[in-house]
Structures are given as structure tokens and as C-alpha cells.
Amino acid sequence: MNRRWELDLLRGLMLVLMYITHMPTRFSSMLGQPFGYVSAAEGFVMLSAFMAGMIYTSKAERDGIPAMRNAFLARALKIYACHAALLLLLFTIIAALGISRDEPALKNLIGFYLEQPLAGLTGGLLLIYNPPLLDILPLYIVLMLVSPIVLERGLKHGWRGILAVSIVLWAVSQFAVSEKMYDAFVTVTDLQVPYKETGAFETFAWQFLWILGLWMGALTATGQMKNRKPFSRALITACLAFAMPLLIWRYIAGQVPVEGESIINHLFDKWHLGPFRLLNFFALLILIMHFGEWLKAHVPRLPFLQTLGAASLPVFCMHLVAVLLALSVYGESTPQRAVWTDVMLLFGGLACLYVAALITLRFDAEARPKTRTAPG
């Protein structure tokens, strides 16, 4: 399966935006959520699901459903190995460095682990304890494990029921159902990991973006997306009318729509994918799909971003390593820190991401003729 450069470019862009947002510099707040009240995480999850839908649907049609299941499992195990390695790095070298320098930012990030090391390590390896920054890969692993069941069902029986269930789960997630279920689980098992330490991403909410991307990727692989009717002018106008004011307001009000506690902020909540946030995402998605061919013809290919996107998992892991090292040595961003230090952190880390991508792609290129494995 040939790579689609525009998807690699978009994933590379999402990776750079996540890196800039997470790296503790003065540039984080101004470049976080640059397109409105939608973050790079939404785009990255959707793109990852879309590519998984394309790749594994093609594999199912070519090699059969069992081969597709095995490919999903192998990918999930690879992601789990990366997550476990990052956890061990955080709990050993990064933790020792941050404690020796007495950096509050790093100590706060792993506060539960420092209080209960055994419960933290065990819970982390079981994907229950998820410190900040290390909570998206566990979500990714869970979604990858569920995907072969969903994809097989969709290919055999259609996607209408799957999408309906996914929407219901998203709606239920807006009412703290996961927390109540977790509390019940803790009562039965006497688990020592508090709910707030299980990660910021609400799985029942974020599965909706994944299922949507998986569905669209499967339709693309089977050629059904080619028959999609063009979006109406009224819909495009409505999307522009919704997205543009939010884009402007984001740079007037900042990354939180309204100061203080407000129902509006809950409607734009990132972790639960609040309704207005989801509408903002859909408006941007429809606009990108509508103007996609024009953008492909006029946007420069930007090899730097394509390279990052083509090696997304190693690049994502390297971005976490760079951010954790920065937090353990420099701590949170402060106005007193010299500008050149922030510039060094930002561009030094980007260079590391690019080197990680180049090394990964070189190894993949050398291994491919020997193993003759399909991409993905």
C-alpha cells in the first residue's frame, strides 16, 4: 500500500503541535489549539484511526480476517512496549534527575508514584495509573485492541449500529459515568490508584473519534468514499460561520473560552470531548474534506512534516522523552527564563524528533525487503 503524503504531512503537523504544546516554553500557550477550540490530539487520534481503517481493511480483504486481527494485536503490543519503556524511563532516570534538582513540575507529575512506588509501577504497567503526558498511549492501546472486533463487524454487517452505539457511549460519557464505574470497581478490588490518576482522556468519549476515523478509513479502502456526494454550499457556509468566530475568540480569550467556572467551558471540555468542541472539530473536518483537493494542489509538501508523520509512533515517544527531560531539568516555563533557552529547547527537541524519524524510516526500509511485510 502506497503512502499518502498528505496524511503523513497532517500527522507530522499534529505531532509538532503536540510537542510545542507539551514542551515547557513560553511558546506553548500561544501555539496550543491554533485552529480554534480543537487540539492536535483530536486530529492525531482521528488520523491514526483513519489510517488503521484503511490499512487493516485492505489487509482483511487481501489476507483474511484472522490476519487482520493478528496485525492489530501485533501493533497494540508494539505500542504497549513503547508505553512500558516510557514508564520505566520516567520512574527511574527522569524521576532521579527531577528529584536531584528538586523540580516541582516533575515531582508533581509523578506524585502518586513517589508516594506509592509499587502501586504506581504495577498500575502503570496494567494501564490503570496514567501520569499526565503518558495517558494517550494507553487509550491508543485499548482502542487498537477493540478495533479488530469493530472492523470485522463493520465489514460484515455494516456500520450503522456501530456508529449508533459509539454516539450513545459519547453521550453517556458527558455525565461522569466512568468515574462512577471506577469507584464501583475500586470498592470490589480495593485498588489503590485514585480515579484522578487514571489519565485525563475519557475513553468513552474519545472512542467516538476513533470509531469515526476507523469507519472512514474502511470506506476509503473499499472505494466507497469515492462515491460520496459533495458537501452542500449551505453546509460549508454553516461550518465557516461556526469555525471562524471560534478561531477568533480563541485568540481573544485564550485557550479557555470563559474565565472561571462556566457551563460554556464544560461544553468545550477537551477530556470529555464536550459537544461544542466536537462541533468545532466536525466543522474543521468538513472544511478540510471539502477543500482537500485544492489544498493538495497548492500546499507545499513540507518533507520535514512528512518524515515525522511517516514515523509517528517513534516520534511521539521521542517527543515525550524530550518533554520529560525538559521538565526534570528546567521545570515549568517562567517569564524569568531567557528567551534563548526556550528557543533552544524548542528547536533542539524538534531536531531530536526528526533524527528519530530518519532512523526509524531507515530501519524500516532495510527490513521491508527481507520480511516483505505490509506497511502499517
Side-chain angles (χ1 to χ4, degrees):
M1 179 178 177
N2 295 325
R3 300 203 70 93
R4 291 178 55 175
W5 69 267
E6 70 276 14
L7 297 181
D8 284 338
L9 186 147
L10 281 172
R11 283 212 296 183
L13 176 61
M14 298 303 110
L15 286 163
V16 169
L17 290 175
M18 283 192 287
Y19 166 76
I20 294 174
T21 301
H22 294 154
M23 181 59 75
T25 70
R26 53 176 38 86
F27 308 111
S28 298
S29 59
M30 67 179 73
L31 293 176
Q33 302 188 146
F35 308 116
Y37 290 102
V38 174
S39 72
E42 288 94 322
F44 188 74
V45 168
M46 180 78 177
L47 282 167
S48 297
F50 180 80
M51 295 188 75
M54 283 199 309
I55 292 169
Y56 295 114
T57 295
S58 298
K59 189 166 189 64
E61 292 185 334
R62 183 178 64 250
D63 303 325
I65 295 294
M68 178 268 288
R69 291 197 208 104
N70 291 336
F72 263 119
L73 178 59
R75 183 66 173 175
L77 289 174
K78 184 176 182 179
I79 299 168
Y80 178 81
C82 292
H83 177 65
L86 287 168
L87 275 177
L88 294 176
L89 177 69
L90 173 62
F91 292 159
T92 54
I93 297 173
I94 301 293
L97 188 59
I99 292 171
S100 67
R101 297 181 61 85
D102 195 27
E103 281 296 344
L106 194 282
K107 291 196 291 185
N108 291 337
L109 187 137
I110 57 171
F112 176 73
Y113 171 75
L114 295 177
E115 292 176 3
Q116 301 190 49
L118 183 58
L121 177 59
T122 305
L125 293 176
L126 291 175
L127 308 182
I128 298 172
Y129 169 48
N130 298 305
L133 299 178
L134 271 73
D135 50 359
I136 194 168
L137 286 183
L139 173 68
Y140 195 3
I141 293 165
V142 170
L143 294 173
M144 289 292 288
L145 290 174
V146 173
S147 290
I149 302 171
V150 173
L151 191 56
E152 180 179 358
R153 174 79 185 181
L155 293 175
K156 289 183 177 179
H157 304 288
W159 289 86
R160 185 173 298 177
I162 294 170
L163 292 171
V165 171
S166 182
I167 292 171
V168 169
L169 288 176
W170 169 82
V172 167
S173 74
Q174 305 304 305
F175 301 97
V177 170
S178 291
E179 185 172 357
K180 296 173 183 176
M181 291 174 60
Y182 187 80
D183 289 342
F185 178 72
V186 168
T187 302
V188 174
T189 62
D190 196 28
L191 190 69
Q192 298 180 33
V193 181
Y195 179 76
K196 66 178 182 178
E197 301 291 349
T198 60
F201 291 91
E202 168 55 66
T203 304
F204 287 156
W206 281 76
Q207 58 76 31
F208 177 54
L209 285 186
W210 183 269
I211 296 298
L212 186 67
L214 202 66
W215 167 62
M216 293 176 66
L219 293 186
T220 299
T222 55
Q224 297 177 65
M225 285 294 281
K226 293 180 180 179
N227 302 323
R228 176 182 62 82
K229 294 181 180 180
F231 296 119
S232 67
R233 180 175 296 181
L235 178 60
I236 298 303
T237 302
C239 288
L240 285 169
F242 189 81
M244 289 303 296
L246 290 178
L247 174 61
I248 295 169
W249 185 249
R250 178 261 175 269
Y251 285 99
I252 294 174
Q255 296 200 58
V256 178
V258 180
E259 290 186 6
E261 286 292 326
S262 170
I263 186 63
I264 294 176
N265 293 337
H266 292 288
L267 294 174
F268 281 100
D269 182 69
K270 174 179 178 177
W271 312 119
H272 287 78
L273 279 181
F276 284 5
R277 191 178 193 89
L278 205 55
L279 286 174
N280 197 174
F281 176 81
F282 280 141
L284 294 174
L285 176 63
I286 289 170
L287 291 173
I288 290 172
M289 292 175 66
H290 180 73
F291 294 106
E293 292 302 318
W294 184 91
L295 290 170
K296 284 172 63 176
H298 294 86
V299 171
R301 292 207 172 193
L302 301 175
F304 175 76
L305 293 181
Q306 286 186 65
T307 301
L308 296 184
S312 59
L313 180 58
V315 169
F316 181 84
C317 294
M318 179 56 71
H319 118 267
L320 288 178
V321 172
V323 170
L324 292 172
L325 283 171
L327 284 171
S328 64
V329 175
Y330 293 95
E332 293 286 358
S333 175
T334 63
Q336 290 75 31
R337 186 191 296 167
V339 174
W340 70 266
T341 302
D342 282 356
V343 172
M344 177 195 69
L345 285 173
L346 199 62
F347 286 96
L350 286 174
C352 291
L353 302 191
Y354 189 61
V355 169
L358 290 177
I359 293 173
T360 299
L361 296 177
R362 173 64 65 86
F363 275 109
D364 288 348
E366 291 177 353
R368 194 169 297 121
K370 297 177 183 178
T371 59
R372 299 185 182 277
T373 56

